Amino acid sequence: MNLLAFLLIANFPLGGYLRFEGYGRIDTIETYEKLATSMQLKVSFQSGNVEGYGAFDFGYDRIKDTLTMEPIEGYFSIEKGMFDLTAGKKIVSIGTADWLNPTDVITPRDYTTLHSDMEEFKKGVEEVNLDVNFSNFIFSVYLFPAFTPNKYPMPAFRVETPGVVIEFDPTRAVKPGKDAKYTQYGLRLHGFLTNFEFSATYLSIYDRDPDFESKVLAPPPPLGVAIYPVYNLIKMYGADFSTTLSGWEIHGEGAYFDTKDRDGEDPLVKNSYFYAVAGGNRTFLDEKIKFGIQGGVKYIKNFRDSTDFGDPISGMLLKFAEKFNFQTHEKIYYGTLTLGYNSPSGNWSADQTIIYDYTDDDYFTIPKIIYSPADAVNIVMGLFLSGGKGSSPFSEMGKHLGKLAFVEIKYSF
Amino acid sequence: MKVRNLVIPGILFASMLFGQKASDIMWRVHHRPKWKDMHAFMTLEIISPSGQRRIRKMESWSKTNPKTDETKMLILFLEPADIKGTKFLLHEHKNREDDMWIYIPAIRKAKRIAASGKAGPFMGSDFSNYDIGGGEYEDWNYKLVREEDYNDNPCWVIEATAKNKKVVKKSGYSKMVKWVRKDNFMVVRTDCYDRSGELFKRIETNKMEKIEGIWFETEMTATKLHTKRKSVMKFEKIEVNIGIPDRMFSLSALR
């Protein structure tokens, strides 16, 4: 008997969705980038004070000719008095900001597959979480026994300049080991006091985004340098808040990241940095119009430009690392603008959020129209656009993906 | 001359008397006895003018603080499948804006909602969040318009006018006309007037039940009079005074 038949016979509360997605480039090259059919199965149960939840993805992408079978989440929670204990693979989301979430660094993302919803890039992380519930406060302890990095399309390459050969090999990534000593942890206090919700979070985790290391392969001439990703331990001191004021929802979220390179001496390792976002949302015309605006800043401690390094190779390495780590300037300013419209009939809506990097003059946006012809059926049509003039990951993404149009048809059950 | 001197004060006195009576009636309506807590399943059917039906199913828990008369409510959405698991938490306050959160399973986060959304539609239906949460007695001026039978039940017909623009903005209504049953102080029909004073919506109580000595609307219909779109809300499997723990309405419930 297969698993699905067993679950149906056992009368498990089985849900999920069936979806078709088509993505195509609409700029200079007109090609299909994704033609995928996928299904997610979700199982949830509650038995006494024990709850369980699981989500499993199955999919096939005709363009990449790839078959996906992946557990997204699977965890159990036990409630006993003021304690909640959760163990398993879970998407852990924290923070109050929209789209740009400085503190939301626990859950890894997979950016190698296209999605129109930013949340779908997230994959569960193995965790043991104990919550201690007081009347208006929750104190949480997290343990993360395993490490999963964010996935990026990082192709290997080789660059030859006079006197130097640089090779980048992502398959040689150095990840934390599987020993217990590599266990990551976090502490969080989340509370609510008269219209003011806040949290403070401390994390000691391995950075989901890579730093890099270089190794001299051959002495000059020419000088051979190999670069490969490495995942370093970071400490995050974060806080967030949300409140309401005169019809507005107001929120803010910020964190200081203590990295391996506090002094900014290694061009391939992220400097310690501070990152904060604040803004608000409100609706107009009886929730027909949705409006949101945010501003953000990232301050890179001991920032050094490529020219600040004495040798040209360090400058080249810094330029390479910038394409992945967003540390392109000492201060980077961001803004996000969200506009949404819900039709009076409730059958369709339009939504657009744009993220703009003022410092690099780069952008990222997914404008879309959602049409719902029947309950649980949604047709989404939109554009997936990124690019700009700078050297931030948004413009890198634009160069890699181009400008895309997409359509999704999804039935939830 | 003597007659006029008597008539004007008489009209004023009568209007004060009827105003006072209307206020007293509405005070009784707003301050009906409440259960300590309630658990129920709700079905919301949205019917378009062409007859297309959309059904939302929910489970709800609510609890009233007897000292402050403030209610906390948690709604879990069960159907349709694309919004299953969404939760709405309301902490009602008498002296400040209500606190509202919505937990969206897709983002695994609870988001605060500003009270400006109270005039907005409840789950895309023809009921507003204000209709569901109920308004404040103090926000309205009341006038007894007439007395008449409605569905064979003797009723007072009371006009409730918003005291100020803030109330209009919050509720979405400039005026409501309510039919209140004389035997149990239940509102059986409400005609709702929009910000410009135009009648645009009617809410009718189709069924009511007396549960543990307290009357409760178990089926209501809201009809948009211009578009003929309507929504029907039904309550089923109602349990009351079952000792719902406070934690059900805390931040830990939103996950």
Side-chain angles (χ1 to χ4, degrees), chain A residues 313-357:
Chain A
I313 293 175
S314 292
M316 283 174 65
L317 296 177
L318 184 84
K319 282 288 173 196
F320 166 80
E322 279 180 357
K323 294 180 190 299
F324 295 92
N325 66 22
F326 277 70
Q327 298 198 338
T328 51
H329 299 84
E330 183 180 30
K331 288 175 188 166
I332 305 166
Y333 296 98
Y334 301 99
T336 72
L337 179 69
T338 299
L339 289 172
Y341 174 75
N342 291 312
S343 74
S345 67
N347 287 0
W348 68 275
S349 61
D351 190 78
Q352 164 152 30
T353 296
I354 184 164
I355 305 174
Y356 196 77
D357 174 342

Short mmCIF file of all heavy atoms in Angstrom, two decimals, chain A residues 313-357:
data_model
loop_
_atom_site.label_atom_id
_atom_site.label_comp_id
_atom_site.label_asym_id
_atom_site.label_seq_id
_atom_site.Cartn_x
_atom_site.Cartn_y
_atom_site.Cartn_z
N ILE A 313 44.94 42.00 -6.50
CA ILE A 313 44.24 40.70 -6.38
C ILE A 313 43.19 40.76 -5.27
O ILE A 313 42.06 40.31 -5.44
CB ILE A 313 45.25 39.56 -6.14
CG1 ILE A 313 46.12 39.40 -7.38
CG2 ILE A 313 44.54 38.25 -5.80
CD1 ILE A 313 47.22 38.41 -7.25
N SER A 314 43.55 41.37 -4.13
CA SER A 314 42.57 41.51 -3.04
C SER A 314 41.37 42.32 -3.52
O SER A 314 40.22 42.04 -3.18
CB SER A 314 43.20 42.19 -1.83
OG SER A 314 44.17 41.34 -1.26
N GLY A 315 41.66 43.36 -4.31
CA GLY A 315 40.57 44.17 -4.88
C GLY A 315 39.67 43.35 -5.77
O GLY A 315 38.44 43.47 -5.72
N MET A 316 40.26 42.49 -6.58
CA MET A 316 39.46 41.61 -7.46
C MET A 316 38.62 40.64 -6.63
O MET A 316 37.45 40.38 -6.93
CB MET A 316 40.38 40.80 -8.38
CG MET A 316 40.95 41.58 -9.55
SD MET A 316 42.14 40.61 -10.47
CE MET A 316 41.12 39.31 -11.11
N LEU A 317 39.23 40.10 -5.57
CA LEU A 317 38.51 39.15 -4.72
C LEU A 317 37.32 39.84 -4.03
O LEU A 317 36.24 39.27 -3.91
CB LEU A 317 39.45 38.55 -3.68
CG LEU A 317 40.59 37.69 -4.23
CD1 LEU A 317 41.49 37.21 -3.10
CD2 LEU A 317 40.06 36.48 -5.00
N LEU A 318 37.54 41.09 -3.60
CA LEU A 318 36.46 41.84 -2.95
C LEU A 318 35.31 42.06 -3.93
O LEU A 318 34.13 41.88 -3.58
CB LEU A 318 36.99 43.20 -2.47
CG LEU A 318 35.97 44.03 -1.69
CD1 LEU A 318 35.95 43.64 -0.24
CD2 LEU A 318 36.28 45.52 -1.81
N LYS A 319 35.63 42.43 -5.15
CA LYS A 319 34.60 42.64 -6.17
C LYS A 319 33.81 41.35 -6.43
O LYS A 319 32.60 41.37 -6.64
CB LYS A 319 35.23 43.13 -7.48
CG LYS A 319 35.60 44.60 -7.46
CD LYS A 319 34.34 45.44 -7.52
CE LYS A 319 34.62 46.91 -7.34
NZ LYS A 319 33.41 47.68 -7.02
N PHE A 320 34.54 40.23 -6.40
CA PHE A 320 33.87 38.94 -6.58
C PHE A 320 32.89 38.67 -5.43
O PHE A 320 31.73 38.32 -5.65
CB PHE A 320 34.93 37.82 -6.66
CG PHE A 320 34.36 36.46 -6.52
CD1 PHE A 320 33.73 35.82 -7.59
CD2 PHE A 320 34.40 35.79 -5.29
CE1 PHE A 320 33.18 34.56 -7.45
CE2 PHE A 320 33.84 34.54 -5.15
CZ PHE A 320 33.24 33.92 -6.23
N ALA A 321 33.37 38.87 -4.19
CA ALA A 321 32.54 38.56 -3.02
C ALA A 321 31.31 39.48 -2.95
O ALA A 321 30.24 39.07 -2.49
CB ALA A 321 33.36 38.69 -1.74
N GLU A 322 31.45 40.71 -3.43
CA GLU A 322 30.33 41.67 -3.40
C GLU A 322 29.10 41.16 -4.13
O GLU A 322 27.97 41.54 -3.82
CB GLU A 322 30.75 43.00 -4.03
CG GLU A 322 31.53 43.91 -3.12
CD GLU A 322 31.91 45.20 -3.82
OE1 GLU A 322 31.62 45.34 -5.03
OE2 GLU A 322 32.52 46.05 -3.17
N LYS A 323 29.35 40.34 -5.14
CA LYS A 323 28.22 39.84 -5.94
C LYS A 323 27.31 38.93 -5.12
O LYS A 323 26.19 38.63 -5.52
CB LYS A 323 28.73 39.08 -7.17
CG LYS A 323 29.46 39.97 -8.16
CD LYS A 323 29.93 39.15 -9.35
CE LYS A 323 30.88 39.94 -10.25
NZ LYS A 323 30.24 41.14 -10.80
N PHE A 324 27.80 38.46 -3.98
CA PHE A 324 27.01 37.55 -3.16
C PHE A 324 26.62 38.14 -1.80
O PHE A 324 25.68 37.69 -1.19
CB PHE A 324 27.80 36.25 -2.89
CG PHE A 324 28.05 35.46 -4.13
CD1 PHE A 324 29.22 35.65 -4.85
CD2 PHE A 324 27.12 34.55 -4.60
CE1 PHE A 324 29.46 34.92 -6.00
CE2 PHE A 324 27.35 33.83 -5.75
CZ PHE A 324 28.52 34.01 -6.47
N ASN A 325 27.38 39.12 -1.32
CA ASN A 325 27.19 39.50 0.10
C ASN A 325 26.54 40.87 0.31
O ASN A 325 26.43 41.31 1.46
CB ASN A 325 28.50 39.39 0.86
CG ASN A 325 29.54 40.40 0.39
OD1 ASN A 325 29.22 41.42 -0.20
ND2 ASN A 325 30.81 40.11 0.66
N PHE A 326 26.14 41.57 -0.71
CA PHE A 326 25.45 42.86 -0.57
C PHE A 326 26.33 43.95 0.06
O PHE A 326 25.85 45.03 0.32
CB PHE A 326 24.17 42.73 0.29
CG PHE A 326 22.95 42.24 -0.41
CD1 PHE A 326 22.86 40.93 -0.84
CD2 PHE A 326 21.88 43.07 -0.64
CE1 PHE A 326 21.73 40.46 -1.47
CE2 PHE A 326 20.74 42.61 -1.28
CZ PHE A 326 20.67 41.31 -1.71
N GLN A 327 27.60 43.69 0.33
CA GLN A 327 28.43 44.69 1.00
C GLN A 327 29.17 45.54 -0.03
O GLN A 327 30.40 45.52 -0.11
CB GLN A 327 29.38 44.01 1.97
CG GLN A 327 28.63 43.26 3.07
CD GLN A 327 29.48 42.92 4.27
OE1 GLN A 327 30.70 42.85 4.19
NE2 GLN A 327 28.83 42.70 5.39
N THR A 328 28.41 46.29 -0.80
CA THR A 328 28.99 47.05 -1.91
C THR A 328 29.43 48.45 -1.51
O THR A 328 30.22 49.07 -2.20
CB THR A 328 27.96 47.17 -3.04
OG1 THR A 328 26.73 47.65 -2.48
CG2 THR A 328 27.71 45.83 -3.71
N HIS A 329 28.86 48.98 -0.42
CA HIS A 329 29.21 50.32 0.05
C HIS A 329 29.18 50.33 1.58
O HIS A 329 28.63 49.40 2.19
CB HIS A 329 28.22 51.37 -0.46
CG HIS A 329 28.17 51.48 -1.96
ND1 HIS A 329 27.42 50.65 -2.74
CD2 HIS A 329 28.81 52.32 -2.80
CE1 HIS A 329 27.58 50.97 -4.02
NE2 HIS A 329 28.42 51.98 -4.08
N GLU A 330 29.73 51.37 2.16
CA GLU A 330 29.72 51.44 3.63
C GLU A 330 28.28 51.54 4.14
O GLU A 330 27.91 50.91 5.12
CB GLU A 330 30.53 52.66 4.10
CG GLU A 330 30.61 52.73 5.61
CD GLU A 330 31.40 53.93 6.09
OE1 GLU A 330 31.39 54.96 5.38
OE2 GLU A 330 32.03 53.83 7.16
N LYS A 331 27.49 52.36 3.45
CA LYS A 331 26.08 52.49 3.83
C LYS A 331 25.24 52.20 2.60
O LYS A 331 25.47 52.80 1.53
CB LYS A 331 25.77 53.90 4.33
CG LYS A 331 26.36 54.19 5.70
CD LYS A 331 26.12 55.62 6.09
CE LYS A 331 26.89 55.94 7.36
NZ LYS A 331 26.96 57.40 7.59
N ILE A 332 24.30 51.31 2.73
CA ILE A 332 23.42 50.98 1.61
C ILE A 332 21.98 51.27 2.06
O ILE A 332 21.56 50.80 3.12
CB ILE A 332 23.56 49.49 1.22
CG1 ILE A 332 25.03 49.17 0.93
CG2 ILE A 332 22.70 49.16 0.00
CD1 ILE A 332 25.34 47.71 0.86
N TYR A 333 21.30 52.04 1.25
CA TYR A 333 19.93 52.43 1.60
C TYR A 333 18.92 51.71 0.71
O TYR A 333 19.12 51.61 -0.51
CB TYR A 333 19.75 53.94 1.46
CG TYR A 333 20.62 54.72 2.41
CD1 TYR A 333 21.83 55.26 1.98
CD2 TYR A 333 20.26 54.89 3.74
CE1 TYR A 333 22.66 55.96 2.86
CE2 TYR A 333 21.06 55.59 4.62
CZ TYR A 333 22.27 56.12 4.17
OH TYR A 333 23.07 56.80 5.05
N TYR A 334 17.88 51.21 1.33
CA TYR A 334 16.84 50.48 0.61
C TYR A 334 15.48 51.15 0.83
O TYR A 334 15.26 51.82 1.84
CB TYR A 334 16.71 49.05 1.13
CG TYR A 334 17.93 48.22 1.02
CD1 TYR A 334 18.76 48.03 2.13
CD2 TYR A 334 18.28 47.59 -0.17
CE1 TYR A 334 19.89 47.26 2.06
CE2 TYR A 334 19.42 46.82 -0.25
CZ TYR A 334 20.23 46.66 0.87
OH TYR A 334 21.35 45.90 0.77
N GLY A 335 14.60 50.91 -0.09
CA GLY A 335 13.21 51.31 0.10
C GLY A 335 12.31 50.24 -0.50
O GLY A 335 12.70 49.57 -1.47
N THR A 336 11.14 50.05 0.09
CA THR A 336 10.17 49.14 -0.54
C THR A 336 8.83 49.88 -0.61
O THR A 336 8.50 50.67 0.27
CB THR A 336 9.96 47.82 0.23
OG1 THR A 336 9.22 48.08 1.42
CG2 THR A 336 11.27 47.14 0.58
N LEU A 337 8.12 49.63 -1.66
CA LEU A 337 6.81 50.22 -1.85
C LEU A 337 5.85 49.11 -2.28
O LEU A 337 6.13 48.37 -3.22
CB LEU A 337 6.87 51.30 -2.93
CG LEU A 337 5.55 52.00 -3.25
CD1 LEU A 337 5.09 52.86 -2.08
CD2 LEU A 337 5.70 52.87 -4.50
N THR A 338 4.74 48.98 -1.57
CA THR A 338 3.74 47.97 -1.89
C THR A 338 2.42 48.64 -2.24
O THR A 338 1.96 49.51 -1.50
CB THR A 338 3.52 47.01 -0.70
OG1 THR A 338 4.75 46.36 -0.41
CG2 THR A 338 2.46 45.96 -1.00
N LEU A 339 1.85 48.25 -3.35
CA LEU A 339 0.52 48.71 -3.73
C LEU A 339 -0.32 47.48 -4.07
O LEU A 339 0.15 46.59 -4.78
CB LEU A 339 0.59 49.62 -4.96
CG LEU A 339 1.20 51.00 -4.75
CD1 LEU A 339 1.38 51.69 -6.09
CD2 LEU A 339 0.32 51.85 -3.84
N GLY A 340 -1.51 47.42 -3.55
CA GLY A 340 -2.37 46.27 -3.82
C GLY A 340 -3.79 46.73 -4.05
O GLY A 340 -4.22 47.79 -3.58
N TYR A 341 -4.53 45.94 -4.80
CA TYR A 341 -5.94 46.25 -5.05
C TYR A 341 -6.75 44.96 -4.97
O TYR A 341 -6.37 43.94 -5.57
CB TYR A 341 -6.11 46.89 -6.44
CG TYR A 341 -7.57 47.08 -6.81
CD1 TYR A 341 -8.31 48.10 -6.23
CD2 TYR A 341 -8.21 46.24 -7.72
CE1 TYR A 341 -9.65 48.28 -6.54
CE2 TYR A 341 -9.55 46.41 -8.04
CZ TYR A 341 -10.26 47.43 -7.44
OH TYR A 341 -11.59 47.60 -7.73
N ASN A 342 -7.83 44.99 -4.22
CA ASN A 342 -8.76 43.86 -4.15
C ASN A 342 -10.06 44.26 -4.81
O ASN A 342 -10.65 45.28 -4.44
CB ASN A 342 -9.04 43.47 -2.70
CG ASN A 342 -7.83 42.87 -2.04
OD1 ASN A 342 -7.19 41.98 -2.58
ND2 ASN A 342 -7.50 43.37 -0.86
N SER A 343 -10.52 43.49 -5.77
CA SER A 343 -11.74 43.85 -6.47
C SER A 343 -12.94 43.68 -5.53
O SER A 343 -12.92 42.83 -4.64
CB SER A 343 -11.94 42.96 -7.70
OG SER A 343 -12.32 41.67 -7.31
N PRO A 344 -13.99 44.49 -5.71
CA PRO A 344 -15.17 44.37 -4.83
C PRO A 344 -15.79 42.98 -4.88
O PRO A 344 -16.33 42.50 -3.88
CB PRO A 344 -16.14 45.42 -5.40
CG PRO A 344 -15.28 46.37 -6.14
CD PRO A 344 -14.13 45.59 -6.68
N SER A 345 -15.69 42.30 -6.02
CA SER A 345 -16.28 40.96 -6.11
C SER A 345 -15.46 39.93 -5.36
O SER A 345 -15.94 38.84 -5.04
CB SER A 345 -16.36 40.54 -7.59
OG SER A 345 -15.05 40.36 -8.11
N GLY A 346 -14.21 40.26 -5.04
CA GLY A 346 -13.34 39.31 -4.36
C GLY A 346 -12.75 38.27 -5.28
O GLY A 346 -12.01 37.39 -4.84
N ASN A 347 -13.02 38.37 -6.57
CA ASN A 347 -12.53 37.35 -7.51
C ASN A 347 -11.12 37.61 -8.02
O ASN A 347 -10.47 36.70 -8.48
CB ASN A 347 -13.45 37.28 -8.74
CG ASN A 347 -14.77 36.62 -8.40
OD1 ASN A 347 -14.98 36.23 -7.25
ND2 ASN A 347 -15.65 36.50 -9.36
N TRP A 348 -10.70 38.86 -7.97
CA TRP A 348 -9.35 39.11 -8.43
C TRP A 348 -8.69 40.23 -7.64
O TRP A 348 -9.35 41.04 -7.01
CB TRP A 348 -9.31 39.38 -9.94
CG TRP A 348 -9.94 40.66 -10.38
CD1 TRP A 348 -11.25 40.88 -10.65
CD2 TRP A 348 -9.27 41.90 -10.59
NE1 TRP A 348 -11.45 42.17 -11.02
CE2 TRP A 348 -10.25 42.83 -11.00
CE3 TRP A 348 -7.95 42.33 -10.49
CZ2 TRP A 348 -9.95 44.15 -11.29
CZ3 TRP A 348 -7.65 43.64 -10.79
CH2 TRP A 348 -8.64 44.54 -11.19
N SER A 349 -7.37 40.22 -7.67
CA SER A 349 -6.61 41.23 -6.97
C SER A 349 -5.32 41.49 -7.74
O SER A 349 -4.91 40.67 -8.57
CB SER A 349 -6.30 40.79 -5.54
OG SER A 349 -5.54 39.60 -5.55
N ALA A 350 -4.74 42.63 -7.48
CA ALA A 350 -3.45 42.96 -8.10
C ALA A 350 -2.50 43.38 -6.99
O ALA A 350 -2.92 43.96 -5.99
CB ALA A 350 -3.64 44.10 -9.10
N ASP A 351 -1.24 43.06 -7.16
CA ASP A 351 -0.29 43.30 -6.10
C ASP A 351 1.08 43.61 -6.68
O ASP A 351 1.53 42.93 -7.60
CB ASP A 351 -0.21 42.04 -5.22
CG ASP A 351 0.57 42.28 -3.96
OD1 ASP A 351 0.00 42.89 -3.05
OD2 ASP A 351 1.74 41.89 -3.91
N GLN A 352 1.70 44.63 -6.16
CA GLN A 352 3.06 44.93 -6.60
C GLN A 352 3.87 45.44 -5.42
O GLN A 352 3.47 46.36 -4.71
CB GLN A 352 3.09 45.98 -7.70
CG GLN A 352 4.49 46.57 -7.88
CD GLN A 352 4.79 47.06 -9.25
OE1 GLN A 352 3.90 47.49 -9.94
NE2 GLN A 352 6.05 46.98 -9.64
N THR A 353 5.01 44.83 -5.19
CA THR A 353 6.00 45.36 -4.25
C THR A 353 7.28 45.55 -5.02
O THR A 353 7.70 44.67 -5.77
CB THR A 353 6.22 44.40 -3.07
OG1 THR A 353 5.02 44.28 -2.33
CG2 THR A 353 7.32 44.92 -2.16
N ILE A 354 7.91 46.69 -4.83
CA ILE A 354 9.21 46.92 -5.44
C ILE A 354 10.23 47.18 -4.33
O ILE A 354 9.94 47.90 -3.39
CB ILE A 354 9.18 48.06 -6.48
CG1 ILE A 354 10.55 48.19 -7.17
CG2 ILE A 354 8.75 49.38 -5.88
CD1 ILE A 354 10.52 48.99 -8.45
N ILE A 355 11.37 46.51 -4.44
CA ILE A 355 12.48 46.77 -3.53
C ILE A 355 13.50 47.57 -4.32
O ILE A 355 13.89 47.16 -5.42
CB ILE A 355 13.15 45.47 -3.04
CG1 ILE A 355 12.13 44.54 -2.40
CG2 ILE A 355 14.26 45.78 -2.05
CD1 ILE A 355 12.71 43.19 -2.02
N TYR A 356 13.90 48.71 -3.77
CA TYR A 356 14.85 49.55 -4.50
C TYR A 356 16.09 49.78 -3.64
O TYR A 356 16.00 50.13 -2.47
CB TYR A 356 14.20 50.90 -4.85
CG TYR A 356 14.96 51.64 -5.90
CD1 TYR A 356 14.88 51.26 -7.23
CD2 TYR A 356 15.80 52.69 -5.56
CE1 TYR A 356 15.60 51.92 -8.20
CE2 TYR A 356 16.52 53.35 -6.54
CZ TYR A 356 16.42 52.97 -7.84
OH TYR A 356 17.15 53.61 -8.81
N ASP A 357 17.24 49.53 -4.23
CA ASP A 357 18.53 49.77 -3.58
C ASP A 357 19.01 51.14 -4.09
O ASP A 357 19.52 51.25 -5.20
CB ASP A 357 19.48 48.63 -3.97
CG ASP A 357 20.90 48.84 -3.47
OD1 ASP A 357 21.25 49.98 -3.13
OD2 ASP A 357 21.66 47.85 -3.45
#
